[in-house]
Amino acid sequence: MVAATFVGAAGCGRGTRGDTPPATARDGGAGATGNGAAATESSAAAAATAAAAAGQPNGGMVAGPPGMKDGEWTLPGRDYAGTRYSPLAEITPANVKNLKVAWTFSTGFVRGFEGQPLVVNNTMYVVTPYPNYVYALDLANPGGPPKWAYKPVTDPASQGEACCDVVNRGASYADGKIVVNRLDNHTVALDAATGKVLWDVKLGDVNKGETMTMAPLIVRNKVYVGDAGGEMGVRGWITALDLNTGRIVWKAFNTGPDKDVLIGPNFKPFYAQYRGTDLGVKTWPADQWKLGGGTVWGWVTYDPEANLIYYGTSNPGTWNPDLRPGDNLWSTAIFARDPETGEARWAWQGTPHDEWDYDDVNESIPVNLTVDGRPRKVLVHFDRNGYGSTIDRATGEVLVAQPFQYLNWSTGMDMKTGRPILNPAKETHQGVNTREICPSSTGARDQQPAGYSPRTGLFYTPFTNLCMNYAGTEVSYIAGTPYLGADVQMYAGPGGNGERGGFIAWDATTGKRVWSRTEHFPVWSGALVTAGDVVFYGTMDGWFKAVNARTGQELWKFKCGSGIIGNAMTYRGPDGKQYIAIYSGIGGWAGATALGLATDDPTAALGATGATSDLPAYTAPGGMVYVFSL
């Protein structure tokens, strides 16, 4: 039953929609230009950014895995930094119009396809949503016939515990192993050549509401994975597994006492509010941290220069902020940790005391940029709360923080404290229906990842343009059942239904848009950028698009059989040609309505049904891999 996989799908009361959100000027520089319209370009900003990148060795890129081949895609974001940049350059703005379908693969599943395929040694690896089958497709033979398939008996109870569809965000490869998470909390290593299970470890408890949807990251001999279930009252964690055995090397919780969070004498946060003992307990009411969320369902990245991993944590539990006064550390925060020991080095909380479900799980991309004339080693982070931040990745100091999409819950970032300045009119409370909060709980972007090009010096990210009414409600904890505590109703942001999403290029040295495009629905697909200066992304109504990386001009598009919420990738085939691949399969949180979820209750699916009730008229469920070439 579809509704069972969306927390609150049937249990929330109907809210009252407020007035239309203000259709006033947008933040962030370049304005929108209408649905799918030609982009707005700031050539001066583009030139400045490119010059800044050119001043850095290798265009600001940090090193990837040793031996990484330019025609392969072995990690979720292709490299350790998650740049989703490929050095392949056969496909260019001049010839991308000639892209055609080379072959397709039907998975047999029709739920939301997030994530991306991998390509290693002329084999493509595809991971499906629940029950998390893995297919190895032979690229050396026409049509990519399967070499093997992994078909686990995944616990069916996990479907009912997943927050927002039974999605999976992909696998990682290293040392002859494909490593993947299953929805029922198993992490599994498969022999990449045969599909044989090399090890299988269970890391969480479905009966408590825990699931696993994120893509593992492999760095050297360790696999980094985390849990999901912030809407079920679980306690978030990240763990490192031995790549060869699956043994737990270390595990760090994201709430609770310092000994559990692995905070010790080497924890040196930049901002004073994070200095103290056991803040993961003291910033909560008694024992609420045990139900406090802070899960890790997004992306993990790695910086070989600082030898640190970075990841973000989810919303605090519950969504009703009046039940958990305090900053609720370390939810909605970014952590930097020692990859060998898990020891925390610094943290920064993007949304203290999150009152809007602005999880901070989005990727943090390590690059080297020139900021204010000074070479800096930074993270670039597009937060669900709407801020695009450039952060010193050695210390956690916020250098730049500007809205990349319209927001009104905050009026700016206090650069001295690293705390957002709140708009009192948009704070939420139990029994109060706060209206016209932007962005909505889906965030200014959800999990869909950004990309970075060392050639342009620009970042590329999708965005969501939704606002909401939000009312905190009473809630009690029962293990394995929704622990939500809010009624939410979402609707289009400024610009209306024709502009519910889009895609932008961003200058992280100044915090400004360089160009932007708008789309009819929220853009739930991540970015791919190539050395051919072409950027690819998909739309929820099924269009797969190529745009000019420097101008945003649309160059090509293809209508897939189902909506796109996955991330494009590229590889070089055995014939030497460059190929582009993308999943087509609508679903996920914002795509719930296209999976048959009733739309008569606009608060269902955590409020998403009201925002995309018209989606079924544009697309239908599917589960295909599309591969394109010139």
Side-chain angles (χ1 to χ4, degrees):
M1 181 178 178
V2 171
T5 63
F6 294 93
V7 170
C12 295
R14 182 184 295 274
T16 302
R17 179 170 177 167
D19 298 329
T20 302
T24 53
R26 295 167 181 271
D27 305 77
T33 56
N35 179 32
T40 300
E41 182 187 14
S42 169
S43 57
T49 304
Q56 295 286 342
N58 198 29
M61 298 277 280
V62 301
M68 183 173 64
K69 299 177 181 177
D70 64 358
E72 294 190 336
W73 194 289
T74 63
L75 297 174
R78 189 177 180 275
D79 47 33
Y80 286 149
T83 63
R84 298 180 185 269
Y85 170 79
S86 169
L88 299 183
E90 177 187 349
I91 298 168
T92 69
N95 63 24
V96 69
K97 64 184 178 185
N98 298 320
L99 274 185
K100 294 180 174 58
V101 174
W103 55 276
T104 62
F105 176 74
S106 176
T107 66
F109 295 98
V110 289
R111 299 302 295 266
F113 270 76
E114 294 183 352
Q116 56 290 306
L118 302 180
V119 168
V120 189
N121 295 327
N122 293 326
T123 305
M124 175 180 287
Y125 298 93
V126 172
V127 184
T128 76
Y130 174 89
N132 307 130
Y133 285 12
V134 181
Y135 294 99
L137 307 180
D138 185 359
L139 301 179
N141 284 296
K147 289 182 174 179
W148 54 258
Y150 166 66
K151 298 183 177 180
V153 181
T154 303
D155 187 345
S158 60
Q159 298 176 87
E161 302 301 322
C163 151
C164 308
D165 199 4
V166 292
V167 298
N168 183 285
R169 302 192 174 92
S172 280
Y173 168 88
D175 194 27
K177 302 175 183 66
I178 294 289
V179 182
V180 63
N181 290 324
R182 291 183 0 205
L183 194 65
D184 61 355
N185 303 299
H186 287 249
T187 300
V188 181
L190 306 171
D191 186 307
T194 66
K196 177 184 176 182
V197 175
L198 301 175
W199 50 259
D200 178 341
V201 295
K202 184 179 179 182
L203 297 169
D205 186 353
V206 167
N207 294 321
K208 293 181 179 178
E210 277 186 307
T211 53
M212 294 179 74
T213 57
M214 56 90 77
L217 180 73
I218 302 174
V219 178
R220 296 190 291 271
N221 63 344
K222 292 185 177 60
V223 184
Y224 302 97
V225 298
D227 64 346
E231 283 67 45
M232 309 295 283
V234 309
R235 186 183 175 202
W237 49 261
I238 185 171
T239 191
L241 307 176
D242 184 292
L243 176 61
N244 292 314
T245 65
R247 176 181 62 87
I248 294 176
V249 179
W250 55 260
K251 182 176 184 178
F253 288 94
N254 298 318
T255 64
D258 287 354
K259 65 180 179 57
D260 291 359
V261 186
L262 302 188
I263 287 178
N266 292 320
F267 184 62
K268 308 288 185 185
F270 185 84
Y271 298 102
Q273 65 265 29
Y274 308 134
R275 301 169 196 155
T277 57
D278 294 333
L279 296 180
V281 174
K282 296 175 180 176
T283 57
W284 297 83
D287 291 337
Q288 185 65 28
W289 57 269
K290 296 178 180 177
L291 310 174
T295 58
V296 186
W297 56 270
W299 310 93
V300 183
T301 56
Y302 172 65
D303 170 17
E305 296 175 7
N307 193 32
L308 294 172
I309 61 167
Y310 307 97
Y311 68 95
T313 64
S314 82
N315 60 285
T318 90
W319 281 23
N320 181 347
D322 288 347
L323 298 181
R324 47 174 174 76
D327 276 356
N328 310 141
L329 293 167
W330 304 90
S331 66
T332 53
I334 297 173
F335 266 111
R337 292 187 183 274
D338 184 313
E340 300 300 323
T341 66
E343 185 180 40
R345 294 298 182 83
W346 58 261
W348 172 69
Q349 191 178 38
T351 313
H353 183 59
D354 181 4
E355 304 175 44
W356 310 271
D357 184 39
Y358 292 157
D359 308 47
D360 205 351
V361 298
N362 306 100
E363 72 286 353
S364 294
I365 302 175
V367 294
N368 300 321
L369 298 176
T370 300
V371 181
D372 291 332
R374 177 183 168 190
R376 303 292 296 250
K377 296 180 181 297
V378 302
L379 297 178
V380 175
H381 178 80
F382 297 94
D383 200 301
R384 292 175 83 256
N385 67 17
Y387 280 104
S389 299
T390 305
I391 303 165
D392 186 309
R393 67 178 187 264
T395 66
E397 178 188 9
V398 179
L399 307 175
V400 177
Q402 292 292 332
F404 65 90
Q405 167 56 13
Y406 178 74
L407 62 83
N408 63 15
W409 66 276
S410 165
T411 59
M413 187 70 69
D414 183 332
M415 302 302 286
K416 291 183 178 179
T417 65
R419 294 179 70 97
I421 303 165
L422 301 185
N423 176 356
K426 303 304 177 185
E427 293 197 56
T428 69
H429 297 285
Q430 182 173 318
V432 177
N433 191 19
T434 305
R435 300 182 178 185
E436 300 174 5
I437 306 167
C438 308
S440 70
S441 293
T442 57
R445 63 201 284 262
D446 190 60
Q447 53 74 36
Q448 49 275 48
Y452 170 73
S453 169
R455 289 175 51 81
T456 65
L458 299 176
F459 289 80
Y460 304 91
T461 181
F463 69 85
T464 294
N465 179 35
L466 299 178
C467 300
M468 65 178 173
N469 302 338
Y470 189 114
T473 61
E474 274 285 359
V475 64
S476 298
Y477 175 74
I478 302 173
T481 64
Y483 185 55
L484 198 60
D487 278 351
V488 178
Q489 184 178 356
M490 303 181 196
Y491 40 82
N497 274 349
E499 301 183 10
R500 280 172 283 181
F503 196 89
I504 63 170
W506 179 260
D507 180 346
T509 68
T510 60
K512 294 181 178 178
R513 288 185 180 185
V514 175
W515 54 255
S516 64
R517 301 180 52 78
T518 55
E519 299 287 353
H520 193 72
F521 291 103
V523 177
W524 220 257
S525 161
L528 162 67
V529 58
T530 73
D533 288 345
V534 181
V535 178
F536 295 87
Y537 70 94
T539 67
M540 293 185 70
D541 50 353
W543 288 104
F544 185 41
K545 297 188 175 183
V547 302
N548 188 309
R550 298 184 183 276
T551 67
Q553 178 189 7
E554 183 175 293
L555 304 169
W556 169 88
K557 63 181 179 180
F558 178 88
K559 187 68 161 67
C560 294
S562 181
I564 298 170
I565 61 170
N567 315 314
M569 56 82 68
T570 186
Y571 66 94
R572 180 184 292 114
D575 58 0
K577 294 176 61 175
Q578 182 182 357
Y579 292 82
I580 307 289
I582 185 74
Y583 292 148
S584 166
I586 193 62
W589 186 1
T593 54
L595 296 178
L597 192 67
T599 58
D600 55 340
D601 180 358
T603 67
L606 308 171
T609 54
T612 57
S613 59
D614 56 337
L615 184 59
Y618 290 81
T619 191
M624 300 276 289
V625 182
Y626 284 77
V627 180
F628 302 86
S629 66
L630 295 175

